[in-house]
């Protein structure tokens, strides 16, 4: 079984970094461009243009390359950085994505929006559209986000825990069918053995992470790093003292949250509240 590959990173510009990684993977496998085209079913010249940085290709092509090289989600993550607004995806986020790809466990807290790794296409569509994306760019970002979910699928998956503020579950989508599908997916995920989903109810009162989404990544060398983000910026935190302080706040929130079993029941109750479409 292929191990999740780590982005070693030379170029700091997302588009160039993506092209470099494509070249490195292909040459490392001893495959020519023509052979790659024959194996994946696309014109080999497309892969040549992607490796030169002349085009990014589509999420479908990139996902096929991830499967071919045994790097689930890695190339799609790099593609998402390269395809997005570079002012949004600065070096700290690029480094976070590299660390996420090799993490052995991920702990997360959400203030108002589900993490991308748990989003369904319908949920991602409304959230991304609300952020101003539309047309082809919107479709590409949805496909890339769905591709990143491979990080939490299969045998070589990191352990994952998320604590969701009740506000996350109270902010329903405009599309009732899409919202129902998202809640069903969340309930299914909450039943998996390597997943822990907890809900922090409004009744818990004030808490220390009331304005910040946060991720904790446990790395193979035993280190833990954190990534915090709000609507305007994100910050990668690697200083051990700062990470420990954030972990203390996270532990306090976890103590206030419902148990995993009660949290799943909470999600199922939310699902029952979703209005059904009238029969025709």
């Amino acid at each position: 079984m292929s191990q999740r590959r780590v982005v070693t990173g030379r170029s700091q510009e997302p588009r160039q970094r993506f092209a470099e990684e494509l070249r490195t993977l292909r040459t490392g496998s001893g495959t020519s461009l023509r052979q790659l085209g024959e194996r994946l079913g696309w014109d080999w010249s497309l892969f040549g243009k992607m490796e030169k940085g002349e085009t990014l290709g589509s999420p479908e092509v990139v996902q096929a390359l991830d499967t071919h090289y045994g790097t689930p989600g890695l190339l799609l993550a790099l593609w998402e950085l390269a395809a997005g607004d570079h002012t949004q995806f600065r070096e700290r986020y690029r480094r976070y994505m590299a660390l996420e790809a090799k993490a052995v466990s991920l702990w997360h807290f959400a203030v108002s929006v589900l993490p991308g790794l748990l989003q369904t296409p319908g949920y991602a569509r409304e959230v991304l559209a609300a952020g101003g994306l539309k047309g082809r760019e919107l479709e590409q970002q949805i496909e890339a986000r769905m591709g990143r979910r491979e990080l939490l699928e299969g045998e070589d998956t990191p352990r994952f825990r998320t604590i969701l503020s009740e506000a996350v579950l109270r902010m329903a989508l405009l599309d009732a069918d899409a919202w129902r599908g998202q809640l069903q997916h969340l309930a299914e995920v909450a039943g998996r053995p390597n997943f822990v989903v907890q809900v922090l109810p409004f009744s818990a009162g004030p808490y220390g992470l009331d304005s910040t989404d946060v991720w904790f990544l446990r790395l193979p060398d035993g280190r833990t790093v954190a990534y915090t983000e709000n609507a305007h910026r994100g910050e990668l935190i690697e200083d051990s003292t700062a990470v420990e302080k954030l972990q203390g706040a996270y532990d306090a929130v976890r103590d206030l949250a419902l148990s995993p079993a009660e949290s799943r029941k909470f999600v199922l109750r939310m699902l029952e509240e979703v209005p059904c479409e009238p029969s025709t």
Side-chain angles (χ1 to χ4, degrees):
M1 178 177 60
S2 297
Q3 298 295 313
R4 286 181 293 130
R5 191 174 181 280
V6 178
V7 182
T8 54
R10 292 179 296 280
S11 170
Q12 295 184 2
E13 197 280 317
R15 192 181 185 101
Q16 185 178 347
R17 181 69 197 93
F18 177 62
E20 288 176 355
E21 192 67 23
L22 292 175
R23 286 196 300 273
T24 299
L25 286 167
R26 181 181 59 78
T27 56
S29 68
T31 306
S32 69
L33 286 170
R34 289 186 181 275
Q35 289 172 328
L36 187 61
E38 291 172 357
R39 292 174 185 177
L40 297 186
W42 275 278
D43 190 306
W44 66 270
S45 63
L46 170 62
F47 298 113
K49 291 178 181 178
M50 291 171 70
E51 290 184 11
K52 292 177 182 177
E54 296 175 2
T55 182
L56 293 175
S58 68
E60 182 183 10
V61 173
V62 179
Q63 190 163 7
L65 288 167
D66 258 334
T67 300
H68 175 71
Y69 291 126
T71 56
L74 171 63
L75 292 177
L76 270 169
L78 290 176
W79 180 91
E80 188 175 20
L81 293 177
D85 179 355
H86 295 172
T87 61
Q88 290 181 327
F89 302 110
R90 297 182 180 180
E91 172 60 15
R92 285 182 177 179
Y93 186 66
R94 188 202 68 82
R95 177 159 170 72
Y96 164 78
M97 295 293 285
L99 293 172
E100 180 188 78
K102 65 177 180 178
V104 297
S105 69
L106 299 92
W107 287 12
H108 168 260
F109 174 70
V111 175
S112 59
V113 179
L114 283 168
L117 290 173
L118 295 184
Q119 292 179 12
T120 59
Y123 188 96
R125 180 178 300 279
E126 284 203 21
V127 170
L128 292 170
L133 294 183
K134 57 185 178 180
R136 178 171 174 76
E137 184 180 8
L138 173 61
E139 298 304 321
Q140 289 180 331
Q141 292 294 332
I142 292 170
E143 288 188 48
R145 185 161 293 189
M146 294 307 99
R148 284 189 62 213
R149 296 198 311 182
E150 290 186 6
L151 180 70
L152 299 180
E153 298 173 356
E155 298 179 6
D156 187 32
T157 61
R159 287 169 290 137
F160 179 79
R161 172 191 295 274
T162 185
I163 302 173
L164 307 174
S165 166
E166 184 175 339
V168 176
L169 300 175
R170 293 296 178 186
M171 190 176 70
L173 299 178
L174 297 175
D175 185 330
D177 284 341
W179 182 230
R180 185 180 300 106
Q182 177 62 74
L183 291 175
Q184 288 171 338
H185 176 67
L186 185 59
E188 185 274 324
V189 164
R192 296 181 188 176
N194 61 326
F195 281 67
V196 175
V197 176
Q198 292 182 262
V199 174
L200 179 68
F202 289 145
S203 60
Y207 56 93
L209 295 174
D210 59 354
S211 61
T212 304
D213 274 31
V214 61
W215 288 89
F216 295 99
L217 309 182
R218 181 78 170 176
L219 304 176
D221 62 7
R223 289 187 303 130
T224 297
V225 300
Y227 184 78
T228 62
E229 60 183 355
N230 55 35
H232 306 289
R233 65 188 297 267
E235 181 179 6
L236 178 65
I237 302 171
E238 299 185 77
D239 176 73
S240 59
T241 301
V243 171
E244 185 174 354
K245 183 177 180 180
L246 267 176
Q247 283 184 310
Y250 185 89
D251 289 344
V253 168
R254 186 175 59 183
D255 290 342
L256 294 171
L258 301 176
S259 70
E262 288 299 318
S263 295
R264 188 169 187 272
K265 291 179 182 178
F266 189 100
V267 174
L268 292 173
R269 287 197 298 271
M270 292 293 301
L271 185 56
E272 292 176 355
E273 296 176 12
V274 180
C276 295
E277 293 293 329
S279 58
T280 58

